[in-house]
Amino acid sequence: MVSCPQCDANIDVEEDELDEGDAISCDECGATVRVAGLNPLELESDGDGEEDEEEEFDEEGEDEDDEEEEDEEDDEW
């Protein structure tokens, strides 16, 4: 048994059936994690959190563009 790196819940897996790089899903939090090492069995985050941060940044950037467009429209009047 190994712990999820996201929520620390126990993940019940057949360790002898895993290979390094395999993806596993945590039943508790739904995170997808990868096998980082086999002896001992180690899991690492699959990078899902990083993608969420990028999406937030993109959304913020879009909001700024929208405000600039509104300012330009106001200037025209």
Side-chain angles (χ1 to χ4, degrees), residues 53-69:
E53 289 176 13
E54 288 177 17
E55 287 177 16
E56 288 176 14
F57 178 78
D58 290 343
E59 288 174 9
E60 290 173 7
E62 289 174 12
D63 290 341
E64 289 175 10
D65 291 340
D66 291 343
E67 289 175 11
E68 288 176 15
E69 288 176 17

Side-chain angles (χ1 to χ4, degrees), residues 4-7 11 21-35 43-49 51:
C4 172
Q6 296 289 323
C7 69
I11 300 176
D22 283 353
I24 302 172
S25 181
C26 175
D27 292 334
E28 191 69 28
C29 70
T32 301
V33 296
R34 296 220 176 263
V35 177
L43 300 179
E44 64 183 6
S45 297
D46 194 28
D48 290 346
E51 290 178 10

Side-chain angles (χ1 to χ4, degrees), residues 2-19:
V2 67
S3 295
C4 172
Q6 296 289 323
C7 69
D8 289 327
N10 288 332
I11 300 176
D12 188 22
V13 294
E14 296 293 328
E15 295 183 27
D16 57 339
E17 294 180 11
L18 295 175
D19 291 318

